[in-house]
Each structure stands twice: as structure tokens, then as C-alpha cells.
Amino acid sequence: MLLHTYSPVTGERLCIAAAGTHNVHFRRELALIPGAIGRLRQAPMDSDAPGLAMLAALADHDAPLRDDLRQIRTTRAALTESPMPGWVLVSVPVRRLPGAPAVPGAEPPVVAAVSILTPDRTQGDSLVAYGRLLSTAVQAAVDTSVVIARPHLAAARVA
């Protein structure tokens, strides 16, 4: 699992955290592919799923979108090949950081993307289902952490 953010200055997406990278077979495979680590760490926003997920979420809702970004916005997930042959990236936007207060109008449309790197043994609809599940999990984590971090906000939401 990867957490990406973006730089409005450079127009690139940056990997700022990774989990589950302790698998020896995966690490060996990653090390043997020239440039894969660099491309997973940093790439243009329009080059892969994490950047595309953020681009689709950053675009104004009234703005015309490219077909791929419109599809990503509809499915709430982006899917692309990864820099590792035989692997795909499934990414969803994160609209608010866990623990951040939910103040309408005060938060950016997207702050990050969460991605899973999965073997390309699954095709089409199953990958979209992964994306939707990931999107739901990210939203639940954000909502739950806001409640835990600021219980008084939870009480205000209920009222």
C-alpha cells in the first residue's frame, strides 16, 4: 500500500509512505527492475493511477474532463500498469487527512491518494471492485479518525 501526495509547484505526485514492503520476494523483484523504485516514488501527475486519481478529484466539477479522468471520477478509482511488469496500481483519492476537522470549504478537494500495488492476475471489473472497496475503506478511516480525534465534532454531527 502506498500513500501519495502532490506538488502543485512541480506537477508531480510523490510517494510519502509505503506499507507491506517487507516481503522479500517483492523487494527482490522491485530491485531488479531498473527505474521502478524511482517511478513509484515520483512521477508526473498524469503518468499513473495515483496521479490520475488526484487529478480527477482536483478538477473543478464544472470543468470539462478528459475521458479517462471522467471515468476515474465515476468509478472513484484509477487503474494503471505499474512500473513493475505484471503489476497494476489501483488508486483512490483522499479528500481529507485522518484527524483533520471537516470544515466545509476549508479543505482542498484532495490531499493525497492511497494505492495498492497488486499482481495483474485480476482483470477489469474485479480491479474496479478493489478500487471501490479501497475508496470506502479510506473514507471510513478518515471519518472514524475525525470522530476519535475530536469527539465534540461527532456530537455536533449527530445533533
Side-chain angles (χ1 to χ4, degrees):
M1 182 156 304
L2 306 167
L3 177 63
H4 296 90
T5 190
Y6 66 95
S7 169
V9 175
T10 65
E12 293 181 314
R13 62 104 187 119
L14 309 164
C15 183
I16 57 173
T21 57
H22 60 278
N23 180 293
V24 176
H25 174 72
F26 174 79
R27 292 174 69 114
R28 186 177 309 123
E29 188 174 341
L30 184 60
L32 293 174
I33 301 168
I37 293 173
R39 292 281 302 173
L40 286 172
R41 269 195 201 127
Q42 183 175 354
M45 290 283 282
D46 62 353
S47 69
D48 59 14
L52 291 170
M54 289 185 280
L55 279 176
L58 283 167
D60 186 33
H61 284 288
D62 297 331
L65 287 177
R66 300 183 330 214
D67 288 341
D68 61 339
L69 296 178
R70 188 175 23 257
Q71 179 66 26
I72 290 165
R73 188 178 278 176
T74 300
T75 60
R76 299 182 340 210
L79 305 133
T80 62
E81 293 180 4
S82 84
M84 296 175 59
W87 292 77
V88 294
L89 280 163
V90 180
S91 304
V92 298
V94 177
R95 300 192 185 285
R96 186 175 66 243
L97 292 176
V103 180
E107 58 193 43
V110 68
V111 295
V114 172
S115 307
I116 54 172
L117 189 59
T118 183
D120 193 11
R121 292 189 264 284
T122 311
Q123 299 295 320
D125 292 338
S126 296
L127 287 174
V128 171
Y130 269 139
R132 288 188 178 142
L133 181 62
L134 185 60
S135 179
T136 301
V138 166
Q139 189 58 48
V142 168
D143 291 346
T144 302
S145 58
V146 168
V147 170
I148 292 169
R150 294 182 175 73
H152 61 280
L153 290 177
R157 277 188 182 170
V158 174

